[in-house]
Amino acid sequence: MIKRFFWISLFLLLASCSKNDKPIIAFYYWKTNLKFSKTEKEVLKDNEVSKLYIRYFDIGLQPQTKVPFPISPIHFYDNVQHFEIVPVVFIQNKVMLQSNLDVEDLAQKTIHLIDEINAANRIKYTEIQIDCDWSLDSKNNYLKFIEQVKKLSHKKLSATIRLHQVKYFKKTKIPNVDSGVLMFYNMGSIAPDSLNSIYSREISERYLKSLKKYPLSLDFALPIYSWAIHIRNQKVLGLRSKLNFGELKKDKNFEQISPIFFRVKQSNYKNGVYYEENDLLKTETISSEDLKEMADDLNDNTAQPPKEIIFYDLDEFNLKNYEKNIFKQVISCF
């Protein structure tokens, strides 16, 4: 009887482990020039990263002609052939809003440029990812574009998905892709208030319960970036990326007036930006605790576990804000 109980317990344990295979760690790479720093290489090695989602180019509209064109194609300075590379193309929604858009032509040109970049860098690929925050007005063009890319590329196709597109998928529709990546960030508006626009648990909870009803298989993208919102007279002037908040505390031109706000004590230039006396900088960051909280909430609400957790984005400036094993801690939540 004891022997039989042992084998049953072992079977249940093995079955449980097979159902709980942890997702892999992957990263987005979002810089125009791909050259890994020492810190970036260490993170890739320590986390046994084998897959990178690399932004190849954006697609925008030429100001005069309103014709779609590629913006800032990537340049490779490091060899990436030992990684599985997924080219990511970010398409501005205004491109898809064009009433006279030649969807097939745009799809052909998009695939052609991806192939050109890959051929020049001897990169083999099996998947393309399209990143576009499409709207109700642009969805018809966007969905047709996805169909054309799928048809013409003969590649696996994935697409980024926003929280509102999950909750209201019957209105926003679901692109005909093999899988989606839920962008679990940029949840609020860029505003002079005290809310964090990158991540708000309160906002995410309005959408999380919809995940189990969403028909498309999803992986999750989590944020590891930070920025500051530049405010003057209660108006947002812009986002200031890659500001070292530790250095800001030591800068005599600024004073910290709350955990997230700095005030400009005297007018000055910093990193090429002019700050006027009494301007405010609202800092928005993502802590390790935030990342684990996101993972727990997603795990509690997803219908099926993700195969990948993709962190946005691989950049030495971002990585230095976290302890060495944070990425493994996050995937252990699933």
Side-chain angles (χ1 to χ4, degrees):
M1 183 72 180
I2 293 173
K3 193 172 182 180
R4 185 178 171 217
F5 177 76
F6 169 79
W7 287 112
I8 292 172
S9 299
L10 181 61
F11 173 78
L12 291 173
L13 177 63
L14 292 172
S16 170
C17 290
S18 67
K19 287 180 182 176
N20 292 297
D21 289 338
K22 297 302 177 190
I24 67 166
I25 296 169
F27 284 93
Y28 280 103
Y29 192 93
W30 219 255
K31 289 178 277 191
T32 303
N33 296 319
L34 189 145
K35 187 171 179 60
F36 300 126
S37 70
K38 181 182 176 183
T39 299
E40 291 161 4
K41 288 177 181 177
E42 287 174 354
V43 167
L44 293 171
K45 182 180 178 182
D46 291 346
N47 291 281
E48 300 173 338
V49 175
S50 61
K51 191 171 185 179
L52 292 174
Y53 289 78
I54 299 177
R55 173 212 160 273
Y56 269 40
F57 52 90
D58 297 353
I59 298 177
L61 292 177
Q62 291 179 338
Q64 289 79 28
T65 63
K66 303 300 179 185
V67 172
F69 79 112
I71 301 170
S72 304
I74 191 165
H75 299 279
F76 287 87
Y77 292 94
D78 274 347
N79 190 324
V80 294
Q81 291 179 29
H82 54 294
F83 293 103
E84 180 184 351
I85 300 300
V86 179
V88 182
V89 177
F90 172 73
I91 305 178
Q92 297 174 7
N93 189 47
K94 63 184 179 183
V95 174
M96 293 297 159
L97 286 169
Q98 295 294 100
S99 58
N100 60 343
L101 182 66
D102 188 336
V103 173
E104 184 175 353
D105 180 65
L106 181 60
Q108 287 176 336
K109 288 177 178 174
T110 300
I111 296 164
H112 180 70
L113 184 50
I114 291 172
D115 286 339
E116 275 192 339
I117 293 171
N118 283 333
N121 296 281
R122 291 179 291 179
I123 296 170
K124 296 179 181 178
Y125 73 112
T126 59
E127 178 183 351
I128 296 172
Q129 185 170 108
I130 303 299
D131 180 15
C132 179
D133 188 7
W134 77 93
S135 60
L136 293 178
D137 291 333
S138 66
K139 72 178 179 183
N140 289 338
N141 274 342
Y142 176 70
L143 296 175
K144 289 174 186 174
F145 175 77
I146 289 291
E147 293 284 355
Q148 287 298 316
V149 172
K150 192 173 182 69
K151 174 185 171 184
L152 298 170
S153 70
H154 307 292
K155 304 290 183 184
K156 179 185 174 186
L157 192 59
S158 59
T160 55
I161 309 292
R162 273 66 177 176
L163 280 169
H164 69 93
Q165 293 162 347
V166 169
K167 186 171 183 177
Y168 303 109
F169 74 87
K170 290 183 180 177
K171 287 184 178 178
T172 62
K173 301 302 179 185
I174 300 171
N176 181 21
V177 292
D178 298 287
S179 62
V181 177
L182 178 67
M183 317 305 275
F184 205 63
Y185 47 86
N186 289 358
M187 297 181 182
S189 56
I190 307 297
D193 56 28
S194 60
L195 299 177
N196 190 325
S197 69
I198 299 174
Y199 168 65
S200 163
R201 193 179 198 185
E202 182 182 348
I203 292 175
S204 72
E205 286 176 342
R206 301 173 196 168
Y207 299 90
L208 278 168
K209 294 192 185 307
S210 304
L211 275 174
K212 289 183 179 178
K213 300 175 185 175
Y214 194 66
L216 184 65
S217 172
L218 290 174
D219 292 312
F220 302 134
L222 301 183
I224 55 170
Y225 62 91
S226 61
W227 56 34
I229 298 174
H230 187 182
I231 302 161
R232 181 177 298 160
N233 299 323
Q234 287 299 302
K235 292 182 179 178
V236 173
L237 298 186
L239 291 174
R240 309 299 175 219
S241 299
K242 292 183 170 48
L243 267 181
N244 186 312
F245 301 138
E247 288 182 7
L248 207 59
K249 290 180 181 181
K250 300 174 186 176
D251 193 324
K252 66 181 188 305
N253 294 311
F254 298 83
E255 65 172 343
Q256 189 167 8
I257 58 174
S258 83
I260 63 168
F261 280 101
F262 287 83
R263 185 182 72 85
V264 179
K265 292 172 66 176
Q266 52 190 15
S267 300
N268 69 95
Y269 279 92
K270 190 173 184 67
N271 297 345
V273 176
Y274 176 69
Y275 295 97
E276 194 173 279
E277 184 179 353
N278 292 320
D279 282 0
L280 295 176
L281 280 173
K282 171 189 168 186
T283 61
E284 297 190 338
T285 61
I286 300 297
S287 68
S288 296
E289 289 68 33
D290 288 332
L291 288 172
K292 287 180 274 190
E293 180 180 270
M294 293 178 196
D296 282 334
D297 287 348
L298 286 165
N299 187 50
D300 288 343
N301 288 278
T302 187
Q304 55 185 2
K307 295 184 177 71
E308 303 173 20
I309 302 299
I310 314 167
F311 294 93
Y312 181 87
D313 63 321
L314 185 73
D315 186 299
E316 182 173 0
F317 184 88
N318 299 331
L319 299 172
K320 286 184 174 179
N321 293 319
Y322 299 97
E323 62 268 32
K324 190 173 182 180
N325 65 343
I326 181 58
F327 306 111
K328 291 179 179 177
Q329 289 181 45
V330 170
I331 65 167
S332 72
C333 298
F334 290 91

